[in-house]
């Protein structure tokens, strides 16, 4: 049995979406979901105050009964607790999967930097509310159950990470930022103007390591209309900045704020390994018990 | 006579706004405005392609007939040409004032980093279209004519800079970023959600030098409504992040995307000096001719 703890380090998870998530989970008898009560807390923008979100995350991460911690949703805020969370993660936290995307990228990045557990870019419980959202949930639960089909295509021994573009730009230069030298970086974005996309690529092209293995562009969706057309589409923007920075542009990626968002375990990938992750074993907890 | 060259390194300047700007300028007989034809060019989001904007900026900067270069407006794009502009600025460019704000901050920052001329956070010609916008134009022209009343209050020998918050966040870590050690930093923002303000302060609190002399908050205006209240106002957000980073929060500043936007010459200020800038003399051009 794979036990997954769900908490909300960013924004609040609507209680009425638990049932639809559980309904999908019922098809995966090898996986057990545990919603931490903090998921449903709300204070202003966040799923409870910083302290509450931090403690809930640590409850999940430091409990040896769980194999994985799944971020309920994004929505901004995990950066506010990520630094302290890393400092307080114990031994049980080091043998877990951490799954999420969008704003959850702050935690994935920080975990990767600190070598704590296995960060995984993945759909999140809130995705259930999207059209075909059950597919996103099933992709994660299927992967946890041994089906590597949901892993992003084209990943190999070259270590890879995946981030929301804004999240990655805000991470650069901070104490949460992992060293991405020799990595392939996948980025996606939602609800940002194309001029903002261009601006974020400017920032990243200047601040990412010079020896990046390459960049792939996920979906750039729900671009708001501006008072004038930008004049260049998202892929061309990415190509231009990669070219300017000497970063190989490696094409598109199947990630984004949508039901099709693929799974990207951070680091090197071997699709023949369990979970596609060479050297990682789920259930170390059981072995050690 | 102070000769001011106006170009548009970011977005296009509406030709119909030349007359209202000139009407204000008529009250300042010691100042002469020269709109570079590139101001009115448009290609997609920008005031012409990168090459055209770059050449126009260099025309203005490298022409010894001008005492000042005034950015016609912001709107995004000066970051795309700032690096190459710095590399091609000649001797005449080094004895000039450079005036602008908002997206123009990329150039002000890069000029300050390279010690080229005197960067000045200031209203821009496009501000004429605001309510009481003539006051913004008059503030700049009055200052060029010897009236230091338009300079931000409270500036002193501690070097100061002023930036749009997003612009500064995108500058950090790049080859355009000046060393702001021991500086007071003034920031303002417009049309950003409070969660985005919080996110930008997170980034800056982690990436600005530890030995900043302090931060002052300008106006944070036109904050869009979100689906839920953020829960903290802009000043409290700034205070919290400054506290966390050990940066002295020094109160408010009179800058912002509005008619009242104050003038902030980068560096130390002595209000008794010409232009408030110790050691800077306008018209070195004439002395050398």
């Amino acid at each position: 049995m794979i036990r997954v703890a769900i908490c909300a380090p960013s924004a609040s998870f609507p209680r009425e979406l638990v049932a639809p998530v559980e309904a999908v989970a019922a098809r995966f008898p090898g996986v057990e979901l545990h919603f931490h009560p903090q998921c449903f807390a709300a204070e202003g923008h966040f799923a409870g105050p910083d302290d509450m979100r931090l403690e809930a995350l640590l409850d999940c991460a430091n409990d040896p009964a769980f194999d994985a911690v799944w971020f309920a949703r994004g929505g901004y805020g995990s950066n506010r607790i990520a630094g302290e969370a890393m400092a307080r993660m114990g031994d049980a936290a080091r043998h877990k999967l951490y799954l999420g995307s969008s704003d959850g990228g702050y935690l994935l990045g920080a975990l990767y930097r600190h070598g704590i557990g296995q960060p995984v870019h993945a759909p999140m419980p809130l995705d259930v509310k999207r059209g075909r959202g059950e597919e996103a949930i099933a992709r994660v639960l299927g992967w946890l159950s041994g089906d590597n089909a949901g892993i992003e295509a084209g990943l190999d021994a070259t270590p890879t990470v995946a981030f929301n573009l804004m999240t990655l730009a805000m991470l650069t230069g901070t104490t949460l930022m992992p060293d991405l030298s020799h990595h392939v970086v996948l980025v996606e974005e939602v609800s940002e103007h194309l001029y903002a996309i261009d601006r974020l690529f400017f920032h990243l092209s200047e601040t990412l390591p010079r020896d990046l293995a390459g960049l792939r562009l996920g979906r750039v969706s729900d671009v708001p209309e501006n008072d004038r057309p930008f004049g260049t589409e998202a892929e061309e923007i990415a190509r231009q900045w990669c070219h300017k920075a000497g970063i190989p542009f490696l094409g598109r990626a199947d990630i984004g704020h949508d039901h099709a968002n693929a799974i990207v375990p951070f680091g090197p990938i071997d699709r023949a390994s369990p979970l596609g992750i060479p050297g990682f074993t789920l259930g170390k907890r059981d072995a050690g018990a």
Side-chain angles (χ1 to χ4, degrees), chain A:
Chain A
M1 178 61 66
I2 295 165
R3 294 180 186 83
V4 180
I6 301 173
C7 60
S10 313
S12 188
F13 187 78
R15 202 181 285 270
E16 65 271 21
L17 294 182
V18 171
V21 172
E22 297 280 17
V24 179
R27 291 156 41 197
F28 299 89
V31 182
E32 211 175 78
L33 302 184
H34 296 263
F35 281 87
H36 192 292
Q38 174 270 330
C39 288
F40 316 113
E43 187 183 83
H45 186 90
F46 307 107
D50 288 351
D51 277 358
M52 180 190 283
R53 304 199 316 283
L54 173 64
E55 295 303 329
L57 173 60
L58 291 169
D59 285 349
C60 298
N62 288 331
D63 186 338
F66 295 119
D67 303 286
V69 180
W70 198 7
F71 310 140
R73 63 171 292 188
Y76 183 67
S78 73
N79 58 322
R80 297 172 55 100
I81 60 170
E84 197 166 342
M86 296 308 120
R88 292 177 52 195
M89 285 201 171
D91 191 57
R94 299 186 174 273
H95 306 293
K96 277 189 174 63
L97 301 168
Y98 294 87
L99 297 93
S101 46
S102 191
D103 188 75
Y106 293 109
L107 287 168
L108 300 181
L111 288 160
Y112 198 55
R113 173 186 177 127
H114 290 271
I116 299 174
Q118 171 62 53
V120 183
H121 168 99
M124 295 182 285
L126 188 71
D127 288 316
V128 79
K129 76 171 186 176
R130 300 184 187 279
R132 299 174 65 182
E134 297 85 357
E135 293 177 35
I137 306 300
R139 188 173 308 118
V140 173
L141 303 180
W143 175 67
L144 289 171
S145 306
D147 178 2
N148 284 346
I151 296 178
E152 170 75 28
L155 304 187
D156 57 23
T158 306
T160 302
V161 293
F163 286 102
N164 169 262
L165 187 65
M166 175 67 81
T167 304
L168 182 58
M170 295 292 105
L171 270 175
T172 60
T174 73
T175 52
L176 306 179
M177 179 71 182
D179 180 4
L180 298 184
S181 298
H182 311 299
H183 281 64
V184 173
V185 176
L186 278 48
V187 290
E188 57 80 34
E189 192 49 277
V190 65
S191 302
E192 292 286 349
H193 285 100
L194 287 174
Y195 69 79
I197 304 281
D198 195 80
R199 190 163 60 187
L200 291 168
F201 271 111
F202 154 74
H203 185 66
L204 287 172
S205 73
E206 289 256 351
T207 56
L208 286 175
R210 295 291 92 181
D211 56 1
L212 224 57
L215 183 138
R216 287 168 60 189
L217 182 66
R219 281 175 290 280
V220 176
S221 55
D222 289 336
V223 175
E225 270 212 47
N226 201 5
D227 54 359
R228 56 196 187 277
F230 185 71
T232 315
E233 290 308 310
E235 180 173 328
E236 185 57 23
I237 291 171
R239 282 184 187 276
Q240 285 179 1
W241 285 107
C242 281
H243 178 74
K244 193 163 178 177
I247 297 169
F249 181 79
L250 304 176
R252 301 305 298 247
D254 197 14
I255 62 169
H257 276 67
D258 51 49
H259 78 278
N261 192 22
I263 292 168
V264 182
F266 282 22
I269 293 297
D270 168 15
R271 302 183 83 89
S273 297
L275 298 167
I277 309 167
F280 185 84
T281 314
L282 248 192
K284 180 154 182 170
R285 165 181 63 84
D286 298 323

